[in-house]
Amino acid sequence: MSFATMQHPEVIVTFDLGDFTVPNMLRCSREVRKVATHCGNMEEAANSVVRYFYDAFVNPADGARSCVMVRFYKTHAYGQLEPDLQEFARGQLGDERASRTMKCLTLLATIGAEPAWCDRRRSRGHQAVPLPSVEIVDQAPMISQLVKQMGFDVADVVQQSTAVVPYPLDKRTYNVFHVEDALGSPYIPAQAEFVERYGIRSVVGFGGLLRTGDLFAVILFSRTRITAESAERFRNVALDVKYALFGFREDQVFSRGGAPTPS
């Protein structure tokens, strides 16, 4: 049995994305901290988080998973990426030149309905997306909207600096990205081959800034319609994910040997 069809053994309580109540939010927040505890690095924690959300949200009518795909991203300096990810990023730059401090939106973990969605190294376009300038980011509507809806300036996210940002940061250190109607949205790409084919109704992303100043984001692509009220409650869940990642240093981001998500 592939992981994409296997229930997570630790998920006991499931939730309805279409009616994500306050009690559900509180229970979900506790559980996500639990699954990410005792992980050896950020990639392991990210894998635990996406697995948890993939299994935890189900349609109460038929018990089927609500999420077609769940992904975890983090911005990372190009010079600190693994060689294979540097090569991937260079391939997307075109005529732009990669600098060591250039930020890349890096896929740390992924899981979904297709086997290829359960291994970050099998992503054809999102393993490491270079962010060389505000102008380039603005040409990628989903990334640009993700950053802006979460309350950050694109310029702050792409700033080419490896300096550690003092903690605590300002008040906007975690937030939510939400597209209630994914079909036809300019912010969700691959409309025909992804949104229409897999029946994606809504997208919600949540995350914020780590103590290094890097952005992290968890994105859920859902068959269930997610209202603004339900989406807003992921603001609190984002804080718990941030808490789970807080202790990792920059040399504790990737798994040793680069083990992919099981599939």
Side-chain angles (χ1 to χ4, degrees), residues 159-176:
Q159 62 180 333
Q160 299 188 359
S161 171
T162 57
V164 174
V165 176
Y167 190 87
L169 298 162
D170 64 25
K171 296 179 181 179
R172 301 175 302 163
T173 56
Y174 53 96
N175 219 323
V176 170

Side-chain angles (χ1 to χ4, degrees), residues 186-236:
Y187 303 125
I188 308 300
Q191 283 282 317
E193 61 269 37
F194 181 58
V195 176
E196 293 183 27
R197 180 179 178 183
Y198 293 94
I200 308 299
R201 299 192 67 185
S202 296
V203 177
V204 65
F206 48 95
L209 292 181
L210 300 171
R211 59 178 175 174
T212 58
D214 283 310
L215 175 73
F216 77 92
V218 182
I219 305 179
L220 280 57
F221 298 88
S222 172
R223 295 188 184 97
T224 301
R225 180 178 294 279
I226 305 171
T227 65
E229 184 178 22
S230 289
E232 181 64 19
R233 296 199 172 109
F234 281 95
R235 185 190 303 268
N236 291 74

